[in-house]
Amino acid sequence: MAKDFAALYAELVDKARTRPEGSGTVARLDAGAHEIGKKIVEEAAEVWMAAEHEGRERAAEEISQLIYHLQVMMLALDLEPKDIWEHL
C-alpha cells in the first residue's frame, strides 16, 4: 500500500519512539546527522542518474528513497513537516 508524506513521517516517528529491534530507521538515527547526510547525498545522486539514464519508474523509486532519508534527517534534527512547509 502506498504511503503519502504524512503517513511515512508518522511511521518513522513511531519507530523512533518505540525503537523496534532490527529497525533500519533506528540504526540510521543512532548513526547521527553526519551519516544520514551522507546517505542523502548518495540518494540525491541516484535520483539524478535514474532521471538521466533509467526512466521514470526507476527515478520514482530513487526519489522515494531520498524522501525517506530526508525524513530520517528531520527526525534526527527534531523537525516536523510544518517546520519545513513554512520555508516553501
Side-chain angles (χ1 to χ4, degrees):
M1 179 176 181
K3 298 174 194 150
D4 62 18
F5 193 90
L8 175 61
Y9 185 78
E11 179 182 317
L12 298 181
V13 166
D14 184 61
K15 285 182 181 180
R17 183 180 54 78
T18 61
R19 301 185 59 80
E21 189 172 329
S23 167
T25 299
V26 170
R28 285 173 178 82
L29 288 168
D30 288 349
H34 181 83
E35 292 301 317
I36 298 166
K38 287 178 11 182
K39 192 64 177 170
I40 288 170
V41 170
E42 174 190 328
E43 293 300 337
E46 290 175 3
V47 166
W48 173 33
M49 297 310 294
E52 289 280 329
H53 305 289
E54 299 176 46
R56 293 179 76 247
E57 185 64 28
R58 186 77 175 111
E61 182 181 343
E62 293 298 342
I63 290 168
S64 75
Q65 293 174 23
L66 177 59
I67 289 170
Y68 165 79
H69 290 287
L70 289 170
Q71 286 196 359
V72 172
M73 182 67 86
M74 289 169 61
L75 289 170
L77 300 176
D78 196 28
L79 293 168
E80 297 179 14
K82 68 179 176 73
D83 299 318
I84 308 307
W85 304 149
E86 66 187 39
H87 294 282
L88 292 176

